[in-house]
Amino acid sequence: MKITFFLLPKDKVIYLRSDSTLRQAMEKMKYHRYTAVPLINKKGKYAGTLTEGDILWTLTDKKISIEDKDLEHINLKTIHKHIKNKAVHIDAEIEDLIGLTMNQNFVPVVDDRNIFIGIIRRREIISYFARKYYSHKQPSAFATG
């Protein structure tokens, strides 16, 4: 099965430009209550994922408090990303996502030019396989109502 069925398109995804500041990232992540967000460069290409951990490590390594004005001068491009979330091509199959979703809350999806087009969330993958599993075992066990 192709992954397009599960795609949350870019216009519905919260993401950050890779040239945003640390303060902008912290504010957006706090507002949306996200632990990780995709980063997109000026050309619209997927440029990695920023996590809460990346922010925490940056604050502690640079000995910066969250009230510090320096947050406005730290560019996300300069922050070390401790986790390298891998993107998949839009033509990938659902089975290609299993390994990725074990370590990623979402999987970024790109087109032929590596342009970010959206994400697939872990919960959709788990839900798909749970429905598949329970449809063979106990159809009523996964029913929602």
Side-chain angles (χ1 to χ4, degrees):
M1 172 179 236
K2 294 286 183 198
I3 64 171
T4 52
F5 179 76
F6 302 98
L7 182 70
L8 183 63
K10 179 181 176 181
D11 65 338
K12 302 217 185 307
V13 174
I14 302 304
Y15 61 89
L16 289 161
R17 291 269 309 263
S18 58
D19 58 356
S20 299
T21 67
L22 183 55
R23 177 167 304 283
Q24 291 169 321
M26 290 172 62
E27 288 172 355
K28 187 171 263 193
M29 290 173 75
K30 180 181 178 184
Y31 178 81
H32 293 284
R33 305 191 71 148
Y34 286 161
T35 59
V37 292
L39 300 175
I40 313 303
N41 71 17
K42 287 186 226 180
K43 296 180 181 179
K45 294 184 178 193
Y46 173 66
T49 297
L50 181 73
T51 67
E52 286 179 326
D54 299 330
I55 293 171
L56 180 62
W57 283 110
T58 299
L59 294 174
T60 56
D61 289 348
K62 295 181 185 288
K63 297 178 178 42
I64 299 173
S65 75
I66 57 172
E67 290 85 23
D68 200 313
K69 294 286 186 198
D70 287 339
L71 295 176
E72 298 169 13
H73 303 291
I74 297 174
N75 189 293
L76 296 184
K77 290 178 190 175
T78 66
I79 294 177
H80 176 69
K81 314 307 181 290
H82 291 83
I83 298 173
K84 305 290 186 219
N85 282 4
K86 186 178 179 205
V88 295
H89 188 270
I90 188 63
D91 288 336
E93 299 286 337
I94 189 71
E95 291 78 12
D96 299 329
L97 301 178
I98 296 170
L100 295 175
T101 56
M102 289 177 63
N103 299 312
Q104 298 176 206
N105 291 333
F106 60 86
V107 179
V109 181
V110 297
D111 67 10
D112 291 332
R113 297 176 300 143
N114 201 34
I115 301 295
F116 177 77
I117 57 174
I119 63 170
I120 298 175
R121 295 178 290 203
R122 179 188 294 164
R123 69 174 163 233
E124 274 81 22
I125 304 305
I126 292 171
S127 178
Y128 169 79
F129 283 106
R131 281 193 307 272
K132 203 170 173 178
Y133 174 78
Y134 285 114
S135 71
H136 297 303
K137 301 288 182 186
Q138 305 164 340
S140 63
F142 196 68
T144 57

